[in-house]
Amino acid sequence: MGKTKHAGPMKKSKIPAPKLWVSPIPFGLGKVKPKHIRDSFKTVWENKDNLGYAANIITKGVCDGCALGVSGLYDQTLTGPHVCTTRFNVLRLNTMPAIKEEILHADIDELRKYSSTELRKLGRIPYPLIRRPGESKFSRITWDDAMDMIAAKMKTLDPKQYAFYLTSRGITNESYYVAAKVSRFLGTNHIDNASRICHSPSKTALKRSVGVGASTVNYQDWIGTDVLLFWGSVASNASPVSTKYMLEAKKKGTKIIVVNPYMEPSMDKYWVPSVPESALFGTKVADDFYQVNIGGDIAFMHGIMKHWFEMEEKQHGSAINHQFVQKHVNGYDELKVKAQEQSWDEIITSSGISKERIIELAELLANSKNAVFAWALGLTMHSFATDNISQVANLALLRGFLGRKHSGLMPFRGHSSVQGSGEMGADPFVLPGGDFEPKNMERMEKIWGFDIPKWQGDIVGITLENIVLPEDNERKIKLYYLSGGNFLETMPNPDFVEKALSELDIRVHQDIILNTSTLVDAKEAVIVLPAKTRYEQEGGGTSTSTERMVYFSPEIEGNKNRIEEAREEWKIYVDLAKRVKPETADLVSFRNAQEIRNEIAVANPNYDGIQHLKKQGDVFQWGGAWLCEDGVCPTPDGKANLIAVDIPNLNKKPGDFYITSRRGKQFNSMVYSEVDPFNRSERYDVLIHSEDARELSISEGEGIVVYNQFGVFQGRAKFVSIARGNLGVHFPEGNFLLPKGRYDKYAGIPDYNISVKVEKADQFNARKDTEYNEKPIEDLETTVG
């Protein structure tokens, strides 16, 4: 797979492009824009006690923020240095001193007054901690006692009764791999990772559509493609360095189109701090916005295809790349029937886009030789997410936009090395090098030297639900082992999640910092283990970027605030295995990180090359420059599959709104500012169209209540350019409106979108009665403040 190698970084254009400027006023004074320079000074100030180490991380380490894969100051896309505010924001996690003892051992009710943001700022976890029922504070415990307690509990449980979860906060491929191996060695397949709640449907859909669950293209393919189309992605906010790639693309004539319910300001205009021209005058990013309804993407794409087939009737080959389809694609006739049977009325109602506008985009794509389709959480966080993404693949395949320069499919991932989590096997449906199926299990049993349990493991959402099963149920989860993560702030229905976490016998938090979920009770013990960061991993560590680049990040010396008792994550898993099954633990024992990389190269053949990464700057790309090169896919017959999908029924009643969540100034659930610099919205603002508000007699800034049968959200109306009938709230604040138990049937991601009603706050509070959710409503001021 993959014949052509990536050519390495390309030079930036030095010619200014005034036609792309936002404003002739230097530095965009007076405009709403990110305050990059101010933020940079703030970062220096925050890290002033450990500045040398902070500088080493930025100049020598691989970014632990987004998945672009910036190594030191450089990447594989463009020459020249790259820095961004996301990276600056997460930097302090690596340089902080330990939490002060008087705070760490304060009364738990005092600690519970802190938000996760405040807890994060307290500092790092200095040593293992325990809190048992009835104890009002954490007490110190030795590593041996903590690990013996976890191991002793595991020995009493059926392996179906414990689960592992790994988040994406800078965890290395080595740690993912060892966790995946150890969990199977201990007899459980309940292991999951953070991609389950962001991009798992991308992998699932791409596997069924083109045979491989990864980006088929590189960032360089953006630069000079005819069309770069973003579906439900705010790339500039999640991965600010990507705006530099967009600026280069625009200079080469690329049209950038955004499909999103909300006209995100940062995808409209952006000031790229490391490009002098853009830092001064800003850059117009998107050439066009299609403000689709939440959940209306499938219908929108059906409209594009329907018009293509109408074009085909007038002139064969005017829209479909027949040569590519005949040679490389299955399922053409079924898809054609499906697209043609959709009525324009249905398409327009579901998508919220007029027929004229759909035709406009259909014809632009039909007349483009190349296109890159990128997408993010706007497509993936639905109960029909896998169908959303297969529908994107359908568009690309009909035009032959696959397996070559400037053409392909890119799930735009937000977190460093979350791509690697599944490829290392930290996933209930996956083992290294392939799926959780008999042939691959047999192969991995030979490599690992022990039997892999044959039952199907559960995804994170199901394992959380299974905590509250009756005592005698063999799948009742009694011990949860968490490497990072905060389910209280990432999963739907936080009230249920809190109840579930408190009903576990033992909960282990292996982490760098405390968060709100660490403070929830447990029946027997909450154990907290201090982890090292990726920059402290002895022998270095690797991470995989969105474009399948595997980067080596060296161990970085000179941390003035070193946490003496913190341990490498992979070493903690090996230690656990030795205590639970001492007689055979040599099967999962690794002496150093290099040994792990040597084994990864065998376990996942795509990663053959990782064993040679030894020093700063070392990188290789698995699969070559383009997956499915020349249209040949890694499927049984070498062909891609067109998948006919239906327009989803959102169960939206007349007068209902549909709600989605968005990220502000934050990194996943870690909030860095209460105000979003792009649109000045605050955390409890509800984004609403002014016409929708006028019909409800709501004025801007007024207190409103958004509610459904699952929960109530109190906030303030903020008028923005969002598709009518749609609302935006911040994640995780809006998660109280989401029920548990609604998943994409293929990928298991929870649904983060739902229909709601909206009312003025005074009206709602005046007539609280049985028709509303019975949950007590706090006074609006206290909720917002």
Side-chain angles (χ1 to χ4, degrees):
M1 217 170 65
K3 303 182 262 310
T4 308
K5 289 263 189 289
H6 192 282
M10 58 199 275
K11 286 195 163 68
K12 294 193 291 289
S13 161
K14 293 206 163 52
I15 304 159
K19 69 175 191 296
L20 304 178
W21 293 357
V22 171
S23 154
I25 301 163
F27 299 107
L29 295 171
K31 295 196 174 292
V32 177
K33 63 187 276 297
K35 310 282 192 293
H36 295 297
I37 294 163
R38 186 197 64 187
D39 287 350
S40 304
F41 282 120
K42 199 173 108 201
T43 302
V44 171
W45 181 254
E46 268 180 354
N47 293 279
K48 65 183 183 296
D49 61 338
N50 207 353
L51 213 47
Y53 185 62
N56 282 341
I57 287 173
I58 295 290
T59 54
K60 296 176 184 167
V62 172
C63 176
D64 57 343
C66 81
L68 293 183
V70 178
S71 173
L73 294 171
Y74 302 94
D75 67 15
Q76 296 299 305
T77 305
L78 292 170
T79 54
H82 311 298
V83 286
C84 81
T85 48
T86 299
R87 194 172 181 191
F88 285 160
N89 284 332
V90 293
L91 179 61
R92 189 59 178 155
L93 292 177
N94 305 288
T95 67
M96 292 190 291
I99 303 171
K100 291 190 172 77
E101 292 205 359
E102 63 271 22
I103 296 175
L104 183 61
H105 298 289
D107 190 281
I108 196 77
D109 288 332
E110 286 303 305
L111 283 175
R112 283 175 181 155
K113 290 176 183 171
Y114 290 101
S115 66
S116 279
T117 304
E118 291 162 336
L119 288 167
R120 180 178 78 238
K121 289 178 177 171
L122 294 176
R124 284 179 63 180
I125 299 161
Y127 39 70
L129 300 163
I130 188 166
R131 193 169 68 84
R132 297 176 182 86
E135 293 178 349
S136 63
K137 50 187 75 164
F138 281 111
S139 48
R140 188 169 184 169
I141 185 173
T142 66
W143 269 103
D144 277 341
D145 287 349
M147 298 306 289
D148 281 344
M149 191 180 215
I150 300 163
K153 182 67 179 179
M154 281 186 164
K155 286 179 184 175
T156 69
L157 297 175
D158 182 311
K160 291 191 175 100
Q161 295 183 316
Y162 46 82
F164 290 88
Y165 175 83
L166 294 91
T167 190
S168 53
R169 53 120 178 87
I171 290 178
T172 57
N173 286 326
E174 291 80 355
S175 293
Y176 284 129
Y177 180 80
V178 175
K181 186 176 183 181
V182 165
S183 69
R184 264 71 190 223
F185 171 76
L186 295 176
T188 189
N189 288 317
H190 296 321
I191 178 167
D192 211 350
N193 67 79
S195 77
R196 182 72 50 219
I197 45 183
C198 65
H199 266 289
S200 53
S202 300
K203 185 172 73 177
T204 310
L206 287 173
K207 271 192 175 171
R208 74 176 184 176
S209 292
V210 298
V212 62
S215 175
T216 70
V217 279
N218 306 292
Y219 295 115
Q220 280 188 353
D221 292 306
W222 292 12
I223 301 167
T225 183
D226 295 341
V227 177
L228 172 56
L229 187 48
F230 287 102
W231 301 89
S233 166
V234 193
S236 49
N237 194 14
S239 308
V241 171
S242 69
T243 50
K244 193 183 282 193
Y245 311 159
M246 293 183 225
L247 172 56
E248 286 304 305
K250 288 185 71 85
K251 284 186 171 182
K252 289 252 172 89
T254 298
K255 268 197 160 47
I256 296 180
I257 290 167
V258 179
V259 179
N260 202 46
Y262 173 38
M263 192 187 277
E264 286 281 357
S266 63
M267 291 299 281
D268 184 23
K269 302 176 178 109
Y270 199 90
W271 280 255
V272 184
S274 53
V275 177
E277 174 191 4
S278 181
L280 277 169
F281 305 115
T283 298
K284 287 175 186 151
V285 181
D287 292 279
D288 206 351
F289 272 91
Y290 284 84
Q291 291 185 257
V292 70
N293 282 330
I294 298 161
D297 302 275
I298 286 174
F300 183 35
M301 291 184 256
H302 271 317
I304 292 169
M305 291 190 279
K306 188 176 176 71
H307 184 67
W308 283 353
F309 292 123
E310 286 168 4
M311 289 170 70
E312 284 292 318
E313 278 166 23
K314 290 180 193 141
Q315 190 191 340
H316 183 76
S318 59
I320 308 295
N321 182 338
H322 291 286
Q323 194 185 348
F324 182 88
V325 169
Q326 278 160 15
K327 197 172 173 189
H328 298 296
V329 179
N330 299 316
Y332 177 76
D333 293 333
E334 295 85 342
L335 183 70
K336 184 176 178 181
V337 168
K338 177 66 76 178
Q340 287 180 323
E341 71 186 20
Q342 312 297 323
S343 75
W344 276 110
D345 283 350
E346 273 179 295
I347 288 167
I348 293 159
T349 303
S350 175
S351 70
I353 310 283
S354 70
K355 184 177 176 181
E356 294 69 32
R357 289 279 283 149
I358 294 172
I359 288 171
E360 195 183 338
L361 183 55
E363 293 187 349
L364 172 69
L365 293 173
N367 293 320
S368 299
K369 289 190 178 66
N370 307 306
V372 174
F373 294 159
W375 65 89
L377 308 188
L379 286 193
T380 63
M381 297 179 99
H382 292 270
S383 58
F384 42 86
T386 301
D387 284 352
N388 272 344
I389 291 140
S390 282
Q391 186 79 319
V392 176
N394 290 340
L395 284 189
L397 293 170
L398 289 174
R399 291 288 306 128
F401 295 151
L402 183 73
R404 57 192 170 86
K405 193 174 183 178
H406 294 147
S407 283
L409 298 161
M410 178 179 277
F412 194 76
R413 288 184 173 274
H415 294 117
S416 179
S417 207
V418 71
Q419 179 69 39
S421 58
E423 290 163 356
M424 296 300 105
D427 183 309
F429 305 123
V430 173
L431 289 168
D435 290 340
F436 187 79
E437 45 81 28
K439 210 167 133 193
N440 197 37
M441 286 160 88
E442 202 178 309
R443 183 186 71 87
M444 284 310 302
E445 284 175 340
K446 286 197 182 97
I447 293 167
W448 282 348
F450 58 81
D451 289 343
I452 293 167
K454 302 300 182 280
W455 49 274
Q456 177 57 56
D458 287 328
I459 56 171
V460 56
I462 301 292
T463 50
L464 284 170
E465 289 176 36
N466 287 356
I467 296 167
V468 300
L469 286 172
E471 200 56 41
D472 56 355
N473 191 300
E474 65 157 8
R475 285 208 178 213
K476 180 180 175 69
I477 300 290
K478 297 185 177 183
L479 182 150
Y480 220 123
Y481 195 113
L482 300 155
S483 192
N486 182 357
F487 295 146
L488 280 185
E489 293 178 19
T490 52
M491 296 300 286
N493 196 337
D495 289 342
F496 168 77
V497 172
E498 185 167 7
K499 176 178 185 286
L501 292 178
S502 70
E503 289 196 16
L504 287 160
D505 289 355
I506 288 184
R507 208 174 61 251
V508 183
H509 292 269
Q510 178 174 304
D511 214 335
I512 296 166
I513 50 171
L514 298 177
N515 64 47
T516 50
S517 70
T518 330
L519 311 178
V520 175
D521 294 335
K523 283 184 182 168
E524 291 172 20
V526 177
I527 295 170
V528 182
L529 304 174
K532 284 188 175 180
T533 70
R534 71 161 51 166
Y535 306 116
E536 295 166 328
Q537 185 169 298
E538 214 177 292
T542 60
S543 60
T544 310
S545 76
T546 293
E547 56 182 352
R548 300 171 278 104
M549 295 278 181
V550 184
Y551 288 90
F552 181 80
S553 194
E555 182 185 357
I556 293 173
E557 304 286 340
N559 185 358
K560 280 187 184 168
N561 292 328
R562 204 162 152 249
I563 307 296
E564 293 300 328
E565 287 203 43
R567 290 187 180 177
E568 281 93 346
E569 308 229 20
W570 68 262
K571 286 186 179 174
I572 307 173
Y573 288 117
V574 170
D575 185 15
L576 178 65
K578 284 178 176 168
R579 290 168 199 261
V580 181
K581 289 185 166 182
E583 59 292 343
T584 50
D586 59 315
L587 294 169
V588 292
S589 189
F590 293 98
R591 282 171 308 181
N592 53 47
Q594 183 60 48
E595 278 190 4
I596 306 171
R597 291 190 281 276
N598 294 345
E599 188 171 301
I600 290 171
V602 176
N604 186 337
N606 281 334
Y607 276 73
D608 188 9
I610 194 172
Q611 69 275 36
H612 307 307
L613 306 181
K614 311 262 178 171
K615 62 183 190 307
Q616 183 200 332
D618 283 359
V619 58
F620 84 100
Q621 183 183 38
W622 72 257
W626 306 292
L627 299 185
C628 308
E629 191 163 351
D630 301 327
V632 180
C633 293
T635 51
D637 64 358
K639 290 185 171 188
N641 300 303
L642 292 166
I643 312 266
V645 299
D646 291 311
I647 294 176
N649 175 11
L650 302 181
N651 299 316
K652 192 173 157 188
K653 296 178 179 62
D656 280 3
F657 285 81
Y658 218 66
I659 200 161
T660 194
S661 57
R662 70 184 291 276
R663 312 301 196 265
K665 182 86 166 174
Q666 67 196 92
F667 179 67
N668 196 10
S669 63
M670 286 196 250
V671 177
Y672 286 96
S673 170
E674 294 301 307
V675 180
D676 185 334
F678 293 110
N679 65 359
R680 296 207 175 116
S681 68
E682 296 180 11
R683 300 298 304 180
Y684 284 86
D685 281 350
V686 178
L687 308 184
I688 187 170
H689 193 287
S690 58
E691 287 299 304
D692 286 335
R694 192 176 56 78
E695 285 177 9
L696 295 165
S697 307
I698 290 167
S699 51
E700 183 151 31
E702 184 174 2
I704 59 172
V705 177
V706 179
Y707 64 95
N708 58 18
Q709 67 269 42
F710 306 109
V712 175
F713 179 86
Q714 305 220 19
R716 296 188 190 284
K718 181 166 182 66
F719 295 177
V720 296
S721 177
I722 191 168
R724 290 204 59 184
N726 298 268
L727 299 175
V729 292
H730 277 105
F731 169 97
E733 286 83 352
N735 287 357
F736 285 96
L737 296 163
L738 305 169
K740 71 179 195 315
R742 297 197 325 169
Y743 304 103
D744 173 273
K745 67 179 175 198
Y746 304 106
I749 193 169
D751 193 349
Y752 285 86
N753 307 268
I754 195 149
S755 60
V756 292
K757 298 192 183 307
V758 176
E759 220 171 299
K760 289 159 84 81
D762 51 5
Q763 198 174 316
F764 179 91
N765 290 325
R767 27 183 290 242
K768 273 187 242 167
D769 59 30
T770 51
E771 68 183 285
Y772 296 132
N773 192 297
E774 307 80 55
K775 235 162 58 174
I777 314 290
E778 292 175 44
D779 181 72
L780 178 70
E781 292 309 313
T782 58
T783 312
V784 176

